[in-house]
Each structure stands twice: as C-alpha cells, then as structure tokens.
C-alpha cells in the first residue's frame, strides 16, 4: 500500500447565523468582507428594495453621505470666514494708512504760505482763493 489514499480530513460544520452576525459586528471597516466586493450590499438591496431592512440601510447610507457633505461645507465656511476676518484686518490697516496719509496731506497744505505782492487787499483775496481750493480738493478726497 505504497500508493494508498489517506482519508480526507472532515469538513468543518458551517457557522450558525448568530456566529456570522457576531463576526460581521466585530469586523473592521477595512475587512475583506467589505473591501473585496463593494457591490455586494448594492446587489442584496436590489433583490428586495422594499424590505424594511433595505430601506433603513439606504436611509443610513444617505444620512452618512449627507453628513460628510455637511462637514465639507462646514470646513469651507470656516476657511471662508477666516479669510474674511484676515481681509477685514488688512482693510482696517490700509484704511488707517490712508487716513494717516490724508492727515499728513492736510497738514502740509495748511502749512503752505503763498507769498503775495505787498498789497494787503489782494493778499486776503489770494488767501481766500487758496483756502477755497483746499476745501474743494478736501471734498474730492472724502
């Protein structure tokens, strides 16, 4: 009996439903049962889409996808808000600089002295003209 056959090992008994459910509950999201055939759940739902379990599953899948979308939108709103706050600070800084420059221009304009001829009456008229022009240019700036 050199070429005799060895008896085949006994096949294990199939798992019970409770054992299968327990195994599925403890399975990680990257478990091969979920990653090898991602269309498996879709195929099961398509078999009986009207069952209560399949409706609940579809609702949960929809809820999870909407929650992900909300998180993405929340992040987008937060980044937009931060951008607005930084833009507001920059605008306030630039506004302060412009107001400072405007103040400097007003001071420089007020210091201008126009030398006029010796006639005092013409000097008053020229001074008024300078003041009127300054007020007009001030209106244009503001």
């Amino acid at each position: 009996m050199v070429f005799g056959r060895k008896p085949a090992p006994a096949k294990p008994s199939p798992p019970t439903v409770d054992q299968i459910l327990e195994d599925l509950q403890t399975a990680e999201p990257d478990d091969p049962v979920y990653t090898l055939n991602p269309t498996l759940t879709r195929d099961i739902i398509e078999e009986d889409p009207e069952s209560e379990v399949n409706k609940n599953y579809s609702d949960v899948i929809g809820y999870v996808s909407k929650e992900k979308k909300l998180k993405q939108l929340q992040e987008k709103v937060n980044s937009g808000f931060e951008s607005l706050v930084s833009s507001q600070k920059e605008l306030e800084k630039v506004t302060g600089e412009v107001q400072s420059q405007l103040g400097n221009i007003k001071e420089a304009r007020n210091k201008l002295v126009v030398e006029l001829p010796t006639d005092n009456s013409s000097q008053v008229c020229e001074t008024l003209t300078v003041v009127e022009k300054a007020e007009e240019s001030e209106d244009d700036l503001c």
Side-chain angles (χ1 to χ4, degrees):
M1 279 211 34
V2 177
F3 297 107
R5 292 188 180 196
K6 292 183 181 179
K11 291 183 180 179
S13 61
T16 64
V17 173
D18 291 332
Q19 290 173 333
I20 294 172
L21 291 176
E22 180 183 336
D23 188 40
L24 288 174
Q25 288 175 349
T26 59
E28 297 292 325
D30 59 346
D31 193 277
V33 74
Y34 299 118
T35 58
L36 290 179
N37 193 358
T39 62
L40 180 65
T41 54
R42 202 171 342 132
D43 295 341
I44 292 171
I45 291 174
E46 288 175 358
E47 288 176 9
D48 186 16
E50 298 300 318
S51 74
E52 186 69 26
V53 173
N54 290 338
K55 285 182 182 179
N56 286 342
Y57 179 79
S58 297
D59 290 345
V60 168
I61 294 297
Y63 173 78
V64 169
S65 68
K66 288 177 184 176
E67 184 180 19
K68 287 180 184 178
K69 180 70 172 174
L70 281 174
K71 284 182 181 181
Q72 290 173 349
L73 291 173
Q74 183 180 15
E75 290 173 5
K76 188 175 180 181
V77 166
N78 286 340
S79 66
F81 181 74
E82 291 171 3
S83 173
L84 283 174
V85 168
S86 65
S87 295
Q88 180 186 12
K89 289 179 181 178
E90 185 178 336
L91 180 63
E92 289 173 354
K93 179 183 172 187
V94 170
T95 302
E97 291 174 3
V98 169
Q99 286 176 342
S100 172
Q101 290 174 359
L102 181 61
N104 292 341
I105 291 171
K106 286 180 181 180
E107 288 177 18
R109 186 180 52 207
N110 289 337
K111 290 180 182 178
L112 283 177
V113 177
V114 178
E115 293 186 20
L116 301 173
T118 57
D119 184 16
N120 285 340
S121 64
S122 66
Q123 184 178 4
V124 171
C125 291
E126 287 294 325
T127 304
L128 288 176
T129 306
V130 170
V131 170
E132 288 172 356
K133 288 182 181 178
E135 289 175 354
E136 287 177 10
S137 65
E138 184 176 303
D139 290 340
D140 289 344
L141 290 176
C142 297

